[in-house]
Amino acid sequence: MKEMKKIIVSALCMIFLFASCEDDLDINRDPDRLSPDGVAPATELPSAITGIVGAQGAEFAIIGGMWSQFWAQSNAANQYRTIDAYSINSTNYQGAWNNMYDALGDVRNIKRNAFEAGNWNYYLIATTLEVYGSQILADWYDDIPYEDANDFTNFEPSFNTGEQVYDLMIADLNDALSKNLASSQGSAPQSDDFIFAGDMSKWVQFANTLKLKIYLRQTNARPSVAQSGIATLGNNFLSEDAAMTQFIDEANRSNPLYESDRRQLNTATNLRASTTMHSFLSDNADPRLDAFYGTGVPLNQGDYQSGAAPASISIVNLSATTPVYFISAEHSMFMQAEARERYSAGAGAKALYDAAVTESFNKWGFDAAPFIASGGVYEYPTAGTLEEKLEAIITQKWISSFPGNGFESFFEHNRTGIPAESSVAQSDPGYVSGQFAYSVEGSTGGEFPQRLEWPNDELTRNANAPSTPVKITVPVWWK
């Protein structure tokens, strides 16, 4: 992954001629091997951002998309059978954990140096990225190293509980947001910031939107914390994508999901359309169906032993240039809509929902207007119950997570139970389109996965890691 980070950073510097790369980034020197003290933030930030992008955009995206039932393992291949059968254990897919912590090492070094220099711009950027990456880890694994992970000399960090991590993340965001950006010392972020090109007003919005996400995740486990926290946030949230967009269709320079699944495996047929998402879009005549999938029929979730002709089964469409979204504009608006329904008597929720669905359609080149209009299949249920409104919001959020943010919709399904879980197999005539179906080859006795196991690498090399493995069917703390 370190080599991949250097390749991506170098390629982006050469292609887009980032000024910060010309001035501060020697592409012949690995930022991971520089002395951590006093490293120019513009030197380390590209590596930090691309590291997080690689961690979330490859293995986490594959697993998240499978468990969000965007796609199923092809019946003509076996690359992801352990994922589709819920048989992942502590020895599988350890790279995402290691890669995320490698990236967070860069992030935390930027944060440390920025604090010492009084560079509050980079301090806010680094803190926001630290919390973003850490929440993904905490939602996958529950207990993770957080406090001790800030000490780059400590190779055996203690684990914080998931609940502790959540409180620490809020405290860290509040601390970074409390700094006076106008008095920031030293260099200002520019094109080394692959997300907002140094626009600090957008980083403030990103941090606030992260706080909203953190509080919403606690609606079941700590409803009073969620409500009181959201009440303090105001309305300064993202209205555009927080994303990395600088990908091109060349080896090691493309979207990491495309790169890892298509280019590196040298096949375009591993991921097939899941009946779950495909049937929902098809039954609602949603034009995003043709953008997401090729021609053909879908595959029932986990049915990789199917005798159907592989050529007849729809292949998932992936693009080398798709952005990697940290938080998309539509996800920001869906979260705001949910918060309005829960805590503000629904004021403005419909407008936010409509705008979010519209944005999702726009990204694929389609018009949402007939779908959200009165009588449309995605019309917001203004007169409905809270449960009906949440179903509309979270269902559309699920669709808008395709292709690379399936981990986010997987977490949301675990939190809300939306989409609903089917009581029958997808081969049953009574199957309701869009309902999550237990994998045909599932190995967990009918229980859906809730998390990932701690990686064996961490368990064996860190004496402070948990001593008792936790299976993937054990919920994380906030469920």
Side-chain angles (χ1 to χ4, degrees):
M1 183 61 197
K2 291 182 181 181
E3 290 303 312
M4 180 63 74
K5 285 196 299 182
K6 288 191 289 181
I7 290 168
I8 293 174
V9 173
S10 301
L12 291 174
C13 289
M14 290 185 287
I15 294 167
F16 297 100
L17 300 178
F18 294 127
S20 64
C21 294
E22 295 174 348
D23 297 339
D24 298 306
L25 181 58
D26 180 351
I27 64 175
N28 295 310
R29 294 192 301 161
D30 181 356
D32 291 320
R33 296 182 179 179
L34 299 175
S35 168
D37 297 322
V39 178
T43 298
E44 208 160 14
L45 184 59
S47 181
I49 292 173
T50 56
I52 293 174
V53 162
Q56 80 164 65
E59 288 185 353
F60 284 154
I62 291 289
I63 300 169
M66 194 77 75
W67 288 357
S68 279
Q69 305 198 1
F70 298 166
W71 45 68
Q73 167 63 55
S74 170
N75 62 339
N78 58 16
Q79 184 69 30
Y80 307 121
R81 287 189 175 190
T82 55
I83 303 174
D84 213 358
Y86 313 144
S87 57
I88 292 181
N89 58 39
S90 64
T91 64
N92 304 125
Y93 299 98
Q94 301 180 83
W97 168 285
N98 295 329
N99 294 339
M100 186 66 85
Y101 270 112
D102 180 58
L104 288 175
D106 294 333
V107 167
R108 285 162 170 149
N109 198 55
I110 297 168
K111 180 179 176 180
R112 181 176 65 90
N113 287 326
F115 179 81
E116 292 174 357
N119 191 323
W120 305 130
N121 289 328
Y122 278 105
Y123 188 71
L124 176 60
I125 290 173
T127 302
T128 304
L129 291 173
E130 175 188 31
V131 169
Y132 175 80
S134 297
Q135 188 183 18
I136 292 174
L137 289 169
D139 288 348
W140 274 122
Y141 298 97
D142 208 355
D143 299 358
I144 62 168
Y146 188 84
E147 280 184 297
D148 284 358
N150 284 295
D151 181 359
F152 62 88
T153 67
N154 182 358
F155 297 105
E156 294 187 332
S158 297
F159 279 54
N160 293 103
T161 67
E163 188 170 355
Q164 289 171 338
V165 172
Y166 263 59
D167 289 340
L168 289 165
M169 291 191 299
I170 289 292
D172 283 348
L173 287 171
N174 285 340
D175 172 60
L177 287 167
S178 73
K179 307 302 184 185
N180 182 2
L181 299 183
S183 67
S184 181
Q185 303 297 304
S187 62
Q190 299 180 50
S191 52
D192 57 302
D193 169 11
F194 294 165
I195 304 174
F196 294 127
D199 187 332
M200 294 311 299
S201 65
K202 294 175 184 175
W203 278 102
V204 171
Q205 292 175 344
F206 189 179
N208 284 331
T209 310
L210 263 181
K211 289 175 67 177
L212 176 61
K213 183 156 78 87
I214 290 167
Y215 284 129
L216 283 174
R217 202 78 93 215
Q218 302 177 72
T219 52
N220 296 333
R222 298 198 296 183
S224 61
V225 170
Q227 182 171 2
S228 61
I230 289 172
T232 68
L233 292 182
N235 294 303
N236 190 24
F237 302 117
L238 285 169
S239 58
E240 61 182 80
D241 300 324
M244 182 171 170
T245 62
Q246 298 92 343
F247 301 108
I248 64 172
D249 189 5
E250 292 184 14
N252 300 317
R253 299 177 179 183
S254 57
N255 171 283
L257 175 57
Y258 181 92
E259 187 73 20
S260 62
D261 178 67
R262 298 292 158 89
R263 201 187 309 275
Q264 292 182 7
L265 293 178
N266 196 31
T267 178
T269 61
N270 263 316
L271 298 178
R272 302 297 180 122
S274 169
T275 294
T276 311
M277 175 75 83
H278 190 284
S279 66
F280 184 84
L281 297 177
S282 179
D283 284 1
N284 287 294
D286 190 320
R288 290 174 291 183
L289 175 70
D290 293 333
F292 291 4
Y293 306 114
T295 58
V297 298
L299 190 66
N300 290 343
Q301 193 68 45
D303 194 16
Y304 50 75
Q305 302 284 11
S306 170
S312 69
I313 302 173
S314 174
I315 296 171
V316 173
N317 293 330
L318 295 179
S319 169
T321 57
T322 298
V324 168
Y325 297 98
F326 294 80
I327 298 178
S328 67
E330 56 267 38
H331 273 206
S332 174
M333 291 184 283
F334 283 132
M335 287 191 288
Q336 293 174 63
E338 178 182 349
R340 296 286 185 90
E341 288 294 358
R342 287 185 182 275
Y343 308 122
S344 299
K350 180 184 184 304
L352 286 161
Y353 169 88
D354 287 350
V357 177
T358 298
E359 177 66 19
S360 179
F361 271 69
N362 286 346
K363 275 190 168 70
W364 300 97
F366 302 117
D367 180 13
F371 292 85
I372 58 177
S374 177
V377 291
Y378 299 149
E379 179 187 3
Y380 192 66
T382 305
T385 65
L386 174 61
E387 289 71 23
E388 290 169 334
K389 294 171 183 176
L390 292 179
E391 181 179 6
I393 292 168
I394 304 301
T395 298
Q396 290 302 314
K397 191 176 181 184
W398 168 57
I399 300 170
S400 71
S401 295
F402 184 96
N405 288 80
F407 57 88
E408 184 65 26
S409 51
F410 170 72
F411 301 147
E412 288 292 80
H413 171 257
N414 285 344
R415 175 177 71 97
T416 65
I418 301 168
E421 295 174 0
S422 178
S423 60
V424 299
Q426 289 177 319
S427 57
D428 190 296
Y431 172 72
V432 176
S433 65
Q435 290 192 346
F436 275 31
Y438 184 75
S439 170
V440 172
E441 297 291 336
S443 62
T444 54
E447 294 185 71
F448 286 86
Q450 303 290 322
R451 56 178 297 143
L452 292 176
E453 293 187 24
W454 293 300
N456 187 63
D457 285 352
E458 188 72 24
L459 297 177
T460 56
R461 73 188 179 196
N462 183 354
N464 292 313
S467 58
T468 304
V470 177
K471 299 302 182 184
I472 64 172
T473 52
V474 176
V476 299
W477 76 276
W478 43 253
K479 184 177 181 182

